Amino acid sequence: MSFQEIIGQDIAKQMLQNGLRSQKISHAYLFSGPAGSGQMKMANSFAQALVCIHKGDEACGECIQCRKMKNGNHPDFHVIEPDGASIKIEQIRDIQRIFSYRSESGNRKIYIIKDADKMTIQASNSLLKFLEEPPAPAVAILLTENAQSVLPTIRSRTQPIVFTPPDPQKMAQILGDEGFPMPLVRCVVHIASDLDECRELLAENWFAEIRNVMLQLGKESAGRGSMSLITAQQKLFKGGLGDHIEPVFDLFHLWFKDMIHIQIGRHESIVFIDQLESLSKVATTRDMQHWISCMSLAAECKKMLRSHVNPQLCMEQFLIGVSG
């Protein structure tokens, strides 16, 4: 993958490509940012540019070194990820052993550590020594969503590269150009973490069904009646959508946020813009504090769901709460 294929992250790209152009490459980098911000894609692009025989600021994609990277069999490139809940000292020792041998191409050896904040203390200390005294020229790329959870002594020995959340508007434009329905696109770019995940959701028939059901539940719950409980029972749990309750809470969160946008006149920020007429009628039935409380309730119910609370119970508690 080339740098140009990565959406956004212009500052991170510029820093890495400047280093490639000047051949001033750090021995270690710390990529930090939210999930879906493209850290792994950027790390792969950077690693491929490092091994490319043309030594430019972008991998050619055609030379033998690039082809080995594409095929996943480059002997000087390795990826470490958590074994279970953590990265263990044995995994760091394995990479130290592998890197004790000379590079096949004579170039730097490269390793990526995914979820670097999940290293055990022993693994972190072992890596620290390896960063300070690698047996051969090497480049380490550490990836994390939380840089502060990485050992301070490791942070001090790495060049920080900060990633920002993906831009929903840019993703929406790309997905719209690809022919996906915009009412669904406007929702999915706020739920999924990157373009690939967006496309996966948009390809699922159930996502459009979930959105329709959520809109019906929203309108019914605003009427302070019990009809929403019956609809949830029939269309979600008896309708075969019971395995997809978490996105319902995500969509409700966006729906409540739209109510606030309507109240403060920020129509350009509305996600459910195709529902503007009905949204406008509902938005004024409650004050802003109510919609803020509903957003909090949606987040809490989603958390309960992840803690294995019964999905139907979560949904019923939620609908009763928002109808009050």
Side-chain angles (χ1 to χ4, degrees), residues 87-89 92-93 119-128:
I87 295 173
K88 300 172 175 60
I89 188 172
I92 303 301
R93 286 174 175 167
M119 284 187 288
T120 65
I121 293 297
Q122 294 84 354
S124 294
N125 289 331
S126 183
L127 176 66
L128 184 61

Side-chain angles (χ1 to χ4, degrees), residues 41 171 175 178 180-181 184-185 188-189 191-208 244 247:
K41 292 178 181 177
M171 291 198 295
L175 294 167
E178 292 176 4
F180 291 106
L184 297 180
V185 166
V188 81
V189 295
I191 293 174
S193 59
D194 57 27
L195 276 172
D196 290 339
E197 190 177 341
C198 284
R199 294 185 183 106
E200 288 177 11
L201 270 179
L202 290 166
E204 297 285 354
N205 291 329
W206 60 259
F207 185 73
H244 308 294

